[in-house]
Amino acid sequence: MKRMKKPLVCKSLAVMLTTIIMAGCSSAPNSESDTFPATAATTTSAVSADTATDAKEESPLGAKEATDQQMKQSKANQAKEGRILLAAATSLKNVFEEELIPMFQEQYPDITVTGTYDSSGKLQVQIEEGLEADVFLSAAVKQMNALNEEGKIDSDTIVNLLENKIVLIVPAGNALGLTSFEEIINADVIALGDPASVPAGQYAEEALTSLGLWDTVQEKASFGTNVTEVLNQVAANSADAGIVYATDAAGMADQVEVVAEAPEDSLSQKVLYPMAVMKESANPDQAKEFVEFLKTPEAMKVFEAYGFAPGN
């Protein structure tokens, strides 16, 4: 029995030794299958990391360039659209909104004109405070001269576009029976533009002062902030008489009557409407196109139909 156990022990030892040798061989590194692929993978990962880093570094620059391009395109579109803001005296609102702006935009569809209207004095203040107007059309030279002296006007574009008249008006029916400009003192309530800011009021004060009537009239005066308020007071019989532009009276001929024009020698200068392009206009070329259009015979005929005369 003892002799039979020895071969079995040797066999077991041989199996164990073979297993150990095989395990050792299988765990040894393979220079072709393990080392090179591992190096390739590491290199690929490094390249990917570098590319990602580069992309991160380049991304903000690309975004900035895209934003700059968008801004340039936006400005180009604005220039192409040519948005123009017209700041004009209230007495011009009807002729612009009803006739001239639509006529201009039919000829220049790529230019959009928007109007803002008030007394010339108020518009002057608004422009001084930052109103981004492209064209200014005043009802008196005083406001234009002031803005020009402040450096806000393109001086080369100033032109006296129109002439107007100031007239004495009464409610339709003329219950007081006034027949002359001087008879304004017979009215109990007199509507006038505020001379501090309304050119029509400034002209009225000058004319009445030269006739020796200002002290009497101002005691009865109801001052409006623009000429439209004066016109509406007379039309509504809130005032017995008033002084407005001839063009305003013509626009409400069914509600007011014109008694007389201010005597010619009562004013030191004509009632002129100067026009100009603003020096800081966002669209100066388009603004000049609009200004040139307003000087054409065809536009002037429209002004004349509303009671204006050509300036000089």
Side-chain angles (χ1 to χ4, degrees):
M1 295 292 291
K2 289 180 182 179
R3 288 177 182 176
M4 292 178 64
K5 288 180 181 179
K6 286 182 180 179
L8 183 60
V9 171
C10 291
K11 185 177 181 179
S12 297
L13 289 172
V15 171
M16 290 177 64
L17 181 60
T18 301
T19 301
I20 291 171
I21 292 171
M22 290 180 65
C25 291
S26 64
S27 63
N30 185 318
S31 61
E32 293 182 0
S33 63
D34 292 336
T35 304
F36 291 152
T39 303
T42 303
T43 303
T44 302
S45 298
V47 171
S48 299
D50 290 343
T51 302
T53 301
D54 290 343
K56 286 180 181 180
E57 289 176 352
E58 291 179 1
S59 178
L61 181 59
K64 183 179 183 301
E65 289 176 346
T67 301
D68 289 344
Q69 273 199 328
Q70 289 175 353
M71 289 178 67
K72 288 179 182 178
Q73 186 61 47
S74 177
K75 288 180 180 178
N77 290 339
Q78 287 177 359
K80 185 177 179 181
E81 291 172 2
R83 299 179 185 277
I84 296 172
L85 177 61
L86 165 68
T90 303
S91 52
L92 291 161
K93 181 176 182 178
N94 291 342
V95 66
F96 274 117
E97 295 297 319
E98 296 170 5
E99 300 284 347
L100 291 174
I101 290 178
M103 184 187 301
F104 175 77
Q105 293 191 164
E106 185 175 347
Q107 296 182 28
Y108 298 87
D110 291 334
I111 303 177
T112 301
V113 181
T114 302
T116 181
Y117 309 93
D118 211 323
S119 70
S120 300
K122 284 189 175 181
L123 290 174
Q124 175 192 338
V125 172
Q126 290 172 26
I127 290 170
E128 290 169 338
E129 293 179 348
L131 177 67
E132 296 179 351
D134 297 286
V135 177
F136 180 44
L137 214 172
S138 174
V141 298
K142 177 182 178 181
Q143 289 75 26
M144 183 66 74
N145 288 343
L147 290 175
N148 189 36
E149 289 172 3
E150 293 169 10
K152 297 184 179 297
I153 301 293
D154 181 348
S155 303
D156 293 336
T157 65
I158 298 175
V159 59
N160 289 325
L161 183 67
L162 305 168
E163 182 182 349
N164 210 338
K165 303 288 184 182
I166 60 168
V167 296
L168 172 64
I169 61 171
V170 294
N174 192 7
L176 290 179
L178 304 185
T179 60
S180 69
F181 200 89
E182 292 82 353
E183 290 181 1
I184 189 173
I185 59 176
N186 295 331
D188 292 325
V189 180
I190 302 170
L192 300 172
D194 185 350
S197 62
V198 184
Q202 295 162 6
Y203 288 125
E205 179 182 10
E206 181 183 353
L208 293 168
T209 299
S210 69
L211 295 170
L213 305 175
W214 176 246
D215 290 341
T216 301
V217 170
Q218 70 173 330
E219 291 178 357
K220 303 178 177 182
S222 171
F223 293 111
T225 61
N226 58 55
V227 74
T228 301
E229 287 186 13
V230 176
L231 184 66
N232 289 337
Q233 285 185 56
V234 178
N237 278 285
S238 298
D240 304 308
I243 296 177
V244 297
Y245 295 117
T247 52
D248 297 304
M252 295 184 72
D254 58 332
Q255 299 178 63
V256 302
E257 292 184 22
V258 175
V259 173
E261 289 184 5
E264 189 172 338
D265 59 356
S266 65
L267 294 173
S268 61
Q269 58 184 358
K270 295 179 179 180
V271 180
L272 297 175
Y273 282 52
M275 171 181 66
V277 174
M278 304 303 299
K279 185 173 286 187
E280 298 299 323
S281 169
N283 290 293
D285 293 337
Q286 290 84 351
K288 288 175 182 176
E289 289 275 12
F290 184 58
V291 163
E292 289 304 313
F293 163 78
L294 295 179
K295 295 190 288 186
T296 62
E298 126 182 81
M300 199 55 62
K301 285 181 181 178
V302 176
F303 281 122
E304 290 173 358
Y306 278 72
F308 293 96
N312 49 44

